[in-house]
């Protein structure tokens, strides 16, 4: 990897928390690989994420990344275009994976889960802290995301974005984004609860997705006539992400006007 997390010792002044775009990519069923294949899978994960960033005009060297073997978590620089990340970047990740897997036997193929959210994030002594890193970890490991990718045997990538990004960015339809390509899911685990939007690039959720069609968006929806997002607010106390583990506590409460 060309970039590394910037974790500050406890005796340094704590950084000011800012809103950042966060993402994480995880290799499906990494433990099935033997040691040489694990080495190759990690190298390919790093290559795919770097090349996709370069091809979409993003500077991966400026990302604050935390490699974790079969997973890379990243906090992107302030001002990074959310439309660009959800549009071109995701497209190139899918394309790079597809090209690699086309040359590999089924047992050597790499499939990824990619989770993206935006919110408060900052570096901490054990990694990154804030609501966004925690939300990304929860979306990434949501059972429905894992189950959908496992059932879609011909696909190489599952992408899940937060309800906030779906409402504010996907429904704008800029950069080739199409709301009808996403299906809403509810994620509830380890004190976190909220909606996410799941996409399998290359697969039509209205016709052929595993798991049914009940939560797909209507094709006629546009940003101008959208409903208010349905979400659960969640807060973090002393939380950090390290080696795939969330350290600290998470609390959540209903959105204003809803019963707890």
């Amino acid at each position: 990897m060309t970039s590394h997390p910037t974790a500050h010792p406890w005796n340094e002044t704590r950084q000011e928390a800012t809103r950042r775009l966060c993402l994480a990519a995880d290799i499906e069923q990494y433990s099935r690989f033997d040691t040489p294949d694990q080495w190759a899978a990690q190298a390919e994960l790093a290559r795919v994420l770097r090349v996709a960033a370069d091809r979409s005009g993003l500077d991966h060297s400026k990302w604050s990344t935390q490699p974790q073997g079969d997973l890379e978590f990243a906090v992107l620089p302030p001002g990074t275009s959310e439309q660009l990340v959800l549009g071109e970047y995701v497209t190139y990740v899918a394309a790079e994976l597809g090209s690699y897997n086309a040359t590999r036997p089924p047992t050597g193929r790499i499939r990824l889960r990619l989770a993206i959210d935006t919110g408060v994030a900052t570096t901490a002594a054990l990694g990154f802290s804030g609501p966004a890193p925690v939300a990304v970890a929860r979306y990434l490991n949501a059972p429905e995301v894992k189950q959908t990718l496992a059932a879609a045997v011909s696909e190489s990538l599952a992408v899940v974005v937060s309800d906030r990004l779906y409402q504010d960015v996907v429904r704008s339809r800029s950069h080739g984004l199409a709301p009808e390509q996403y299906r809403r899911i509810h994620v509830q685990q380890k004190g976190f609860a909220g909606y996410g939007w799941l996409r399998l690039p290359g697969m039509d959720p209205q016709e052929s997705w595993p798991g049914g069609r009940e939560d797909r968006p209507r094709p006629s929806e546009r940003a101008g006539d959208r409903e208010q997002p349905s979400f659960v607010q969640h807060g973090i106390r002393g939380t950090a992400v390290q080696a795939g583990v969330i350290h600290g506590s998470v609390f959540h409460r209903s959105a204003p006007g809803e019963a707890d």
Side-chain angles (χ1 to χ4, degrees):
M1 301 299 299
T2 58
S3 54
H4 304 279
T6 307
H8 294 269
W10 288 112
N11 59 357
E12 289 190 9
T13 302
R14 184 170 59 183
Q15 284 190 324
E16 182 180 355
T18 57
R19 299 191 68 82
R20 307 284 285 276
L21 192 64
C22 302
L23 61 84
D26 193 12
I27 299 174
E28 181 193 49
Q29 297 182 346
Y30 176 77
S31 60
R32 66 188 167 88
F33 294 121
D34 59 23
T35 299
D37 286 341
Q38 287 180 358
W39 186 94
Q42 289 190 33
E44 183 60 19
L45 172 63
R47 187 197 68 82
V48 165
L49 300 181
R50 183 183 66 253
V51 170
D54 291 344
R55 293 185 65 187
S56 55
L58 299 167
D59 188 350
H60 188 273
S61 68
K62 294 183 179 179
W63 295 12
S64 296
T65 62
Q66 186 173 342
Q68 300 171 19
D70 61 335
L71 181 153
E72 180 177 288
F73 176 84
V75 177
L76 279 59
T80 299
S81 169
E82 296 169 350
Q83 291 87 349
L84 187 63
V85 172
L86 270 62
E88 285 88 333
Y89 176 73
V90 168
T91 297
Y92 286 127
V93 170
E96 290 299 316
L97 280 174
S99 297
Y100 175 82
N101 288 336
T103 66
R104 308 289 295 178
T107 56
R109 293 173 185 167
I110 295 176
R111 307 205 310 161
L112 298 180
R113 302 189 311 279
L114 177 65
I116 311 173
D117 193 10
T118 183
V120 174
T122 188
T123 55
L126 297 177
F128 298 97
S129 64
V134 173
V136 165
R138 300 300 183 241
Y139 289 128
L140 191 70
N141 293 302
E144 185 165 349
V145 178
K146 293 182 177 181
Q147 293 164 7
T148 299
L149 182 60
V153 295
S154 63
E155 305 304 319
S156 298
L157 179 65
V159 181
V160 58
V161 304
S162 66
D163 187 62
R164 174 175 28 238
L165 282 175
Y166 177 83
Q167 301 294 344
D168 292 345
V169 180
V170 174
R171 295 185 70 175
S172 72
R173 293 184 175 270
S174 63
H175 290 249
L177 294 169
E180 60 270 16
Q181 294 179 354
Y182 294 76
R183 188 178 70 199
R184 191 177 70 165
I185 62 173
H186 185 253
V187 178
Q188 185 169 359
Q189 57 171 335
K190 297 184 179 180
F192 173 93
Y195 287 105
W197 292 83
L198 180 61
R199 176 191 174 200
L200 296 174
M203 182 172 285
D204 182 357
Q206 300 184 58
E207 301 297 337
S208 56
W209 266 28
R213 304 167 55 186
E214 62 277 9
D215 277 331
R216 73 183 191 276
R218 297 185 298 273
S220 61
E221 288 182 339
R222 294 294 188 274
D225 61 1
R226 71 193 185 199
E227 300 173 353
Q228 291 297 317
S230 176
F231 63 92
V232 176
Q233 295 176 326
H234 35 273
I236 316 299
R237 291 193 181 98
T239 307
V241 180
Q242 184 184 44
V245 178
I246 305 299
H247 301 270
S249 61
V250 182
F251 64 91
H252 67 278
R253 62 182 183 273
S254 301
E258 296 180 354
D260 288 336

Coordinates of all heavy atoms in Angstrom, one line a residue, residues 75-127:
V75 N -10.5 6.9 4.7 CA -11.1 8.2 4.9 C -10.6 9.1 3.8 O -9.4 9.3 3.7 CB -10.8 8.7 6.3 CG1 -11.5 10.1 6.5 CG2 -11.3 7.8 7.4
L76 N -11.4 9.6 3.0 CA -11.0 10.4 1.8 C -10.8 11.9 2.2 O -11.4 12.3 3.2 CB -12.0 10.2 0.7 CG -11.9 9.0 -0.1 CD1 -12.0 7.7 0.7 CD2 -12.9 8.9 -1.3
P77 N -10.0 12.6 1.4 CA -9.8 14.0 1.7 C -11.0 14.8 1.7 O -12.0 14.5 1.0 CB -8.8 14.4 0.6 CG -8.2 13.1 0.1 CD -9.3 12.1 0.2
P78 N -11.1 15.9 2.5 CA -12.2 16.8 2.5 C -12.4 17.4 1.0 O -11.4 17.6 0.3 CB -11.8 18.0 3.4 CG -10.8 17.4 4.3 CD -10.0 16.4 3.5
G79 N -13.6 17.5 0.6 CA -14.0 18.0 -0.7 C -14.0 17.0 -1.8 O -14.3 17.3 -2.9
T80 N -13.7 15.7 -1.5 CA -13.8 14.6 -2.5 C -15.3 14.6 -3.0 O -16.2 14.6 -2.2 CB -13.4 13.3 -1.9 OG1 -12.1 13.3 -1.5 CG2 -13.5 12.2 -2.9
S81 N -15.4 14.5 -4.3 CA -16.8 14.4 -4.9 C -17.5 13.1 -4.6 O -17.0 12.0 -4.9 CB -16.7 14.6 -6.4 OG -17.9 14.3 -7.0
E82 N -18.6 13.2 -3.9 CA -19.4 12.0 -3.6 C -20.0 11.4 -4.8 O -20.0 10.2 -5.0 CB -20.5 12.4 -2.6 CG -19.9 12.8 -1.2 CD -21.0 13.4 -0.3 OE1 -22.1 13.7 -0.8 OE2 -20.7 13.7 0.9
Q83 N -20.4 12.2 -5.8 CA -20.9 11.8 -7.0 C -19.8 10.9 -7.8 O -20.2 9.9 -8.4 CB -21.4 12.9 -7.9 CG -22.6 13.6 -7.4 CD -22.3 14.7 -6.4 OE1 -21.1 14.9 -5.9 NE2 -23.3 15.6 -6.1
L84 N -18.6 11.4 -7.8 CA -17.5 10.7 -8.5 C -17.2 9.4 -7.8 O -17.0 8.4 -8.5 CB -16.3 11.6 -8.4 CG -15.1 11.1 -9.3 CD1 -15.4 11.1 -10.7 CD2 -13.9 12.0 -9.0
V85 N -17.2 9.3 -6.5 CA -16.9 8.1 -5.8 C -18.1 7.0 -6.1 O -17.8 5.9 -6.4 CB -16.7 8.3 -4.3 CG1 -16.6 7.0 -3.6 CG2 -15.5 9.1 -4.1
L86 N -19.3 7.5 -5.9 CA -20.4 6.5 -6.1 C -20.6 6.2 -7.6 O -21.2 5.1 -7.9 CB -21.7 7.1 -5.6 CG -22.0 6.8 -4.1 CD1 -20.9 7.3 -3.2 CD2 -23.4 7.3 -3.7
G87 N -20.2 7.1 -8.5 CA -20.4 6.8 -9.9 C -19.2 6.2 -10.5 O -19.1 4.9 -10.6
E88 N -18.2 7.0 -11.0 CA -17.1 6.5 -11.8 C -16.2 5.5 -11.0 O -15.8 4.4 -11.5 CB -16.2 7.6 -12.3 CG -16.8 8.3 -13.5 CD -17.7 9.5 -13.0 OE1 -18.3 9.4 -11.9 OE2 -17.8 10.5 -13.8
Y89 N -15.9 5.8 -9.7 CA -15.1 5.0 -8.9 C -15.6 3.6 -8.7 O -14.9 2.6 -9.0 CB -14.8 5.6 -7.5 CG -14.0 4.7 -6.6 CD1 -12.6 4.5 -6.8 CD2 -14.6 4.0 -5.5 CE1 -11.9 3.7 -6.0 CE2 -13.8 3.2 -4.7 CZ -12.5 3.1 -4.9 OH -11.7 2.3 -4.1
V90 N -16.9 3.5 -8.4 CA -17.5 2.2 -8.2 C -17.5 1.4 -9.6 O -17.3 0.2 -9.6 CB -19.0 2.3 -7.7 CG1 -19.7 1.0 -7.8 CG2 -18.9 2.7 -6.2
T91 N -17.8 2.1 -10.7 CA -17.8 1.5 -12.0 C -16.4 0.9 -12.3 O -16.3 -0.2 -12.8 CB -18.1 2.5 -13.1 OG1 -19.5 3.0 -12.8 CG2 -18.1 1.9 -14.5
Y92 N -15.4 1.6 -12.0 CA -14.0 1.1 -12.3 C -13.6 0.0 -11.4 O -12.9 -1.0 -11.8 CB -13.0 2.2 -12.2 CG -13.1 3.2 -13.4 CD1 -13.2 4.5 -13.3 CD2 -13.0 2.7 -14.7 CE1 -13.2 5.4 -14.4 CE2 -13.1 3.5 -15.8 CZ -13.2 4.9 -15.6 OH -13.3 5.7 -16.7
V93 N -14.1 0.0 -10.1 CA -13.8 -1.1 -9.2 C -14.4 -2.4 -9.8 O -13.8 -3.5 -9.9 CB -14.4 -0.9 -7.8 CG1 -14.3 -2.2 -7.0 CG2 -13.6 0.2 -7.1
A94 N -15.7 -2.3 -10.2 CA -16.4 -3.4 -10.8 C -15.7 -3.9 -12.1 O -15.5 -5.1 -12.3 CB -17.8 -3.1 -11.1
A95 N -15.2 -3.0 -12.9 CA -14.6 -3.3 -14.2 C -13.2 -4.0 -13.9 O -12.9 -5.0 -14.6 CB -14.3 -2.1 -15.0
E96 N -12.4 -3.5 -13.0 CA -11.1 -4.1 -12.7 C -11.3 -5.5 -12.1 O -10.6 -6.5 -12.4 CB -10.4 -3.3 -11.7 CG -9.8 -2.0 -12.3 CD -8.9 -2.2 -13.4 OE1 -8.0 -3.1 -13.3 OE2 -9.0 -1.5 -14.4
L97 N -12.3 -5.7 -11.2 CA -12.6 -7.0 -10.7 C -13.0 -8.0 -11.8 O -12.6 -9.2 -11.8 CB -13.7 -6.9 -9.6 CG -13.3 -6.5 -8.2 CD1 -14.6 -6.3 -7.4 CD2 -12.3 -7.5 -7.6
G98 N -13.9 -7.5 -12.7 CA -14.4 -8.4 -13.7 C -13.3 -8.8 -14.7 O -13.2 -10.0 -15.1
S99 N -12.3 -7.9 -15.0 CA -11.2 -8.3 -15.9 C -10.3 -9.3 -15.2 O -9.8 -10.2 -15.8 CB -10.4 -7.0 -16.2 OG -11.2 -6.1 -16.9
Y100 N -10.1 -9.1 -13.9 CA -9.2 -10.0 -13.2 C -9.8 -11.4 -13.1 O -9.2 -12.4 -13.4 CB -8.9 -9.5 -11.8 CG -8.1 -10.5 -10.9 CD1 -6.7 -10.5 -11.0 CD2 -8.8 -11.3 -10.0 CE1 -6.0 -11.4 -10.2 CE2 -8.0 -12.1 -9.2 CZ -6.7 -12.2 -9.3 OH -6.0 -13.1 -8.5
N101 N -11.1 -11.5 -12.7 CA -11.8 -12.7 -12.5 C -12.0 -13.5 -13.8 O -12.1 -14.7 -13.8 CB -13.1 -12.5 -11.8 CG -13.0 -12.2 -10.4 OD1 -12.0 -12.5 -9.8 ND2 -14.0 -11.5 -9.8
A102 N -12.0 -12.8 -14.9 CA -12.2 -13.4 -16.2 C -11.0 -14.3 -16.6 O -11.1 -15.2 -17.4 CB -12.4 -12.4 -17.3
T103 N -9.9 -14.1 -16.0 CA -8.7 -14.8 -16.3 C -8.4 -15.9 -15.2 O -7.3 -16.6 -15.2 CB -7.4 -13.9 -16.4 OG1 -7.2 -13.3 -15.1 CG2 -7.7 -12.8 -17.4
R104 N -9.2 -16.0 -14.2 CA -9.0 -16.9 -13.1 C -10.0 -18.1 -13.0 O -11.2 -17.9 -13.5 CB -9.1 -16.1 -11.7 CG -8.3 -14.9 -11.7 CD -6.8 -15.2 -11.6 NE -6.5 -15.9 -10.3 CZ -5.3 -16.3 -10.0 NH1 -4.3 -16.1 -10.8 NH2 -5.1 -16.9 -8.8
P105 N -9.6 -19.2 -12.5 CA -10.6 -20.3 -12.3 C -11.6 -19.9 -11.2 O -11.2 -18.9 -10.4 CB -9.7 -21.5 -11.8 CG -8.5 -20.8 -11.2 CD -8.2 -19.6 -12.0
P106 N -12.7 -20.5 -11.1 CA -13.7 -20.1 -10.1 C -13.1 -20.0 -8.7 O -13.5 -19.1 -7.9 CB -14.8 -21.1 -10.2 CG -14.7 -21.6 -11.6 CD -13.2 -21.5 -12.0
T107 N -12.3 -21.0 -8.3 CA -11.7 -21.0 -7.0 C -10.7 -19.8 -6.7 O -10.4 -19.5 -5.5 CB -11.0 -22.3 -6.7 OG1 -10.0 -22.5 -7.7 CG2 -12.0 -23.5 -6.7
G108 N -10.2 -19.2 -7.7 CA -9.3 -18.1 -7.6 C -9.8 -16.7 -7.8 O -9.1 -15.7 -7.7
R109 N -11.1 -16.6 -8.0 CA -11.7 -15.3 -8.2 C -11.9 -14.6 -6.9 O -12.0 -15.1 -5.8 CB -13.1 -15.5 -8.9 CG -13.0 -16.0 -10.3 CD -14.3 -16.4 -10.9 NE -14.2 -17.0 -12.2 CZ -15.1 -17.6 -12.9 NH1 -16.3 -17.7 -12.3 NH2 -14.9 -18.2 -14.0
I110 N -11.9 -13.2 -7.0 CA -12.0 -12.3 -5.9 C -13.3 -11.6 -6.0 O -13.6 -11.0 -7.1 CB -10.8 -11.4 -5.8 CG1 -9.5 -12.1 -5.5 CG2 -11.1 -10.3 -4.7 CD1 -8.3 -11.2 -5.5
R111 N -14.1 -11.6 -5.0 CA -15.3 -10.8 -4.9 C -15.3 -9.9 -3.7 O -14.8 -10.3 -2.7 CB -16.5 -11.8 -4.9 CG -16.5 -12.8 -6.0 CD -17.8 -13.4 -6.4 NE -18.6 -13.8 -5.3 CZ -20.0 -14.0 -5.3 NH1 -20.6 -13.7 -6.4 NH2 -20.6 -14.4 -4.3
L112 N -15.9 -8.7 -3.9 CA -15.7 -7.7 -2.8 C -17.1 -7.2 -2.4 O -18.1 -7.1 -3.2 CB -14.9 -6.5 -3.3 CG -13.5 -6.7 -3.8 CD1 -12.9 -5.4 -4.2 CD2 -12.7 -7.3 -2.6
R113 N -17.2 -6.9 -1.1 CA -18.2 -6.0 -0.6 C -17.6 -4.6 -0.4 O -16.6 -4.5 0.2 CB -18.8 -6.6 0.7 CG -19.3 -8.0 0.6 CD -20.1 -8.4 1.9 NE -19.3 -8.1 3.1 CZ -18.3 -8.9 3.6 NH1 -18.0 -10.0 2.9 NH2 -17.7 -8.6 4.7
L114 N -18.3 -3.6 -0.8 CA -17.9 -2.2 -0.7 C -19.0 -1.4 0.0 O -20.1 -1.4 -0.5 CB -17.6 -1.7 -2.1 CG -17.1 -0.2 -2.2 CD1 -15.8 0.0 -1.5 CD2 -17.1 0.2 -3.7
A115 N -18.6 -0.8 1.1 CA -19.5 0.1 1.8 C -19.1 1.5 1.9 O -17.9 1.8 2.0 CB -19.7 -0.4 3.3
I116 N -20.0 2.5 1.7 CA -19.7 3.9 1.6 C -20.6 4.7 2.5 O -21.9 4.5 2.4 CB -19.7 4.4 0.2 CG1 -18.9 3.4 -0.8 CG2 -19.1 5.8 0.1 CD1 -19.0 3.8 -2.2
D117 N -20.1 5.6 3.2 CA -21.0 6.6 4.0 C -20.2 7.9 4.1 O -19.0 8.0 3.9 CB -21.3 6.0 5.4 CG -22.4 6.8 6.1 OD1 -23.1 7.6 5.4 OD2 -22.7 6.5 7.3
T118 N -20.9 8.9 4.5 CA -20.3 10.2 4.8 C -20.7 10.7 6.2 O -21.8 10.5 6.6 CB -20.6 11.2 3.8 OG1 -19.9 12.5 4.0 CG2 -22.1 11.5 3.7
G119 N -19.8 11.3 6.9 CA -20.1 11.8 8.3 C -18.8 12.1 9.0 O -17.8 12.2 8.4
V120 N -19.0 12.4 10.3 CA -17.9 12.7 11.1 C -16.9 11.6 11.3 O -17.3 10.5 11.6 CB -18.4 13.2 12.5 CG1 -17.2 13.4 13.4 CG2 -19.2 14.4 12.4
A121 N -15.6 11.9 11.0 CA -14.5 10.9 11.1 C -13.2 11.6 11.4 O -13.0 12.7 10.8 CB -14.4 10.1 9.8
T122 N -12.4 11.0 12.2 CA -11.1 11.6 12.5 C -10.2 10.4 13.0 O -10.7 9.3 13.2 CB -11.2 12.6 13.6 OG1 -10.0 13.3 13.8 CG2 -11.6 12.0 15.0
T123 N -8.9 10.7 13.0 CA -8.0 9.7 13.4 C -7.9 9.6 14.9 O -8.2 10.6 15.6 CB -6.6 10.0 12.9 OG1 -6.2 11.3 13.3 CG2 -6.5 9.9 11.3
A124 N -7.6 8.5 15.4 CA -7.5 8.2 16.9 C -6.3 7.3 17.1 O -5.7 6.8 16.2 CB -8.8 7.7 17.4
A125 N -6.0 7.0 18.4 CA -4.9 6.2 18.8 C -5.0 4.8 18.2 O -4.0 4.2 18.0 CB -4.7 6.2 20.3
L126 N -6.2 4.3 18.1 CA -6.4 2.9 17.6 C -6.9 2.8 16.2 O -7.3 1.7 15.8 CB -7.4 2.2 18.6 CG -6.9 2.0 20.0 CD1 -8.0 1.3 20.9 CD2 -5.6 1.2 20.1
G127 N -6.9 3.9 15.5 CA -7.4 3.9 14.1 C -8.2 5.1 13.8 O -7.7 6.3 13.9

